[in-house]
Amino acid sequence: MINETESKIEEAIRNPKNVGEMADADAVGTVGSPDCGDMLRMWIKFREENGRKVIDRASFQSFGCQTAIAVASVATEMLKGKTAAEASGMSGQELSAPLGPLPPVKIHCAQLVEGALRNALGVESSEPPKTTSPTLMDQLSAATQPTKVKIVIDRKET
């Protein structure tokens, strides 16, 4: 039997909002999780409203699980009209609230969205930065650089 949270996640996956790059973005944030391999990038565009700089729109790209996509979809809708300070104060739990309580194994998906948002807004995380290995794109880009290789064959006679 499917519960209400799962139903809302499935709906957000079927009809995700604000997916894709934003060419005229004012801010971009990227975060990845070496634990699960998910990566999320968020774009933010601001506008002036009543003398305040507020979020006009936000979009995202995700390479990850369905829950991360669903959270990013609802979060980008929630951010509209918020100031950077208001948005940066939102927790992963607040960003995922429209979906209902996430299962404990999926809480990291909301934290991923929160991390991308904070990264875009230039907010320092309270956690130390995680080191990640080079991405496939980094490795492919590095492979196009001319390099010299020295091969040494050590033959020991027995």
Side-chain angles (χ1 to χ4, degrees), residues 33-105:
S33 171
D35 297 330
C36 65
D38 290 356
M39 199 242 5
L40 192 124
R41 179 168 288 153
M42 186 177 288
W43 289 266
I44 297 175
K45 180 70 177 173
F46 292 97
R47 74 175 189 283
E48 287 292 323
E49 181 179 276
N50 300 324
R52 300 181 330 149
K53 184 177 170 183
V54 298
I55 296 173
D56 181 45
R57 62 188 191 276
S59 67
F60 74 96
Q61 263 186 339
S62 178
F63 301 97
C65 70
Q66 293 181 343
T67 304
I69 295 167
V71 173
S73 178
V74 298
T76 55
E77 287 291 301
M78 293 175 63
L79 294 173
K80 293 176 183 177
K82 297 198 180 311
T83 65
E86 291 167 340
S88 66
M90 296 181 77
S91 68
Q93 185 176 7
E94 291 171 302
L95 294 168
S96 65
L99 298 172
L102 298 179
V105 297

Side-chain angles (χ1 to χ4, degrees), residues 31 45 69 109 115 117 120 125 128 131 138 155:
V31 70
K45 180 70 177 173
I69 295 167
C109 298
L117 172 61
S125 174
T131 58
D138 293 337
R155 291 190 173 160

Side-chain angles (χ1 to χ4, degrees), residues 98-115:
L99 298 172
L102 298 179
V105 297
K106 294 297 183 177
I107 290 173
H108 74 280
C109 298
Q111 292 169 337
L112 193 71
V113 174
E114 177 188 355

